[in-house]
Amino acid sequence: MGLAVVEDDPVAKNQLGWIQVTPACTDYGLSDARMRELVREAATQSYPIAQFNLGRYLLRRHGGNDVRRQEALCWIYRSIEGGYGVGAEYLSRHYLLGGEGVHNLVLSRGFYRIARAENVQREGMARLAQAHPSTQVSIEENSRFLAERLEECADLLS
């Protein structure tokens, strides 16, 4: 894959950025910083999977820093807004298990509803279903819940 093609393609930027993380695939001659930059560029081009990948990376790497943590969450919120339900499942688990020291059943339930509505079929959904057994899915409620989260990000990612 030529880099000229990558520069115009958010999907290719995301893939190349995450391939670089795999030890067997680091022969592209680009620095780790450039790889992260490619994923960030793909995220800013509204590619939901890149938004999720960037958010997850920032959360894992910089979760203790409040500003970086909020930026990470905002990227994941945007991925969900873009239709990437895996982001909702990830955050539901994150809040259920107390990721980064934040245990919040209300947020976990809200993201679980979105993941269910998006028909996410992942192993973690069974555990979430046990934690939130009587949760009903409402498109209006899900939209309102996500809009509230995105409102927190208005200034951060603009």
Side-chain angles (χ1 to χ4, degrees):
M1 171 184 318
L3 286 181
V5 172
V6 170
E7 295 302 324
D8 295 329
D9 184 355
V11 175
K13 285 178 186 178
N14 179 65
Q15 289 173 339
L16 186 57
W18 285 98
I19 285 173
Q20 183 75 9
V21 174
T22 307
C25 301
T26 57
D27 202 11
Y28 289 98
L30 299 173
S31 69
D32 287 342
R34 180 64 178 130
M35 291 301 129
R36 286 190 302 275
E37 185 180 315
L38 287 171
V39 174
R40 184 175 288 278
E41 288 174 11
T44 60
Q45 289 177 303
S46 300
Y47 182 53
I49 296 172
Q51 292 170 330
F52 171 74
N53 286 337
L54 179 60
R56 184 177 59 179
Y57 168 81
L58 291 171
L59 195 59
R60 287 180 176 172
R61 193 85 187 252
H62 305 288
N65 176 315
D66 288 343
V67 173
R68 285 296 208 163
R69 182 179 183 284
Q70 188 60 38
E71 179 187 3
L73 293 172
C74 288
W75 282 117
I76 297 173
Y77 300 159
R78 283 203 174 165
S79 78
I80 298 166
E81 179 184 39
Y84 195 59
V86 170
E89 182 266 340
Y90 177 83
L91 286 180
S92 182
R93 264 187 304 113
H94 177 79
Y95 287 116
L96 178 66
L97 301 175
E100 308 305 323
V102 180
H103 184 81
N104 187 322
L105 286 177
V106 173
L107 290 177
S108 178
R109 186 175 301 111
F111 287 114
Y112 172 71
R113 283 194 321 261
I114 293 170
R116 274 192 50 204
E118 292 289 330
N119 201 25
V120 174
Q121 302 291 324
R122 289 174 49 120
E123 174 177 321
M125 288 296 285
R127 183 171 183 185
L128 293 171
Q130 291 172 348
H132 308 298
S134 61
T135 301
Q136 299 296 314
V137 175
S138 160
I139 292 172
E140 295 81 23
E141 194 173 341
N142 290 353
S143 296
R144 189 172 39 257
F145 174 81
L146 186 56
E148 289 169 2
R149 306 289 79 72
L150 286 164
E151 201 171 286
E152 300 167 4
C153 302
D155 295 331
L156 190 60
L157 298 182
S158 57

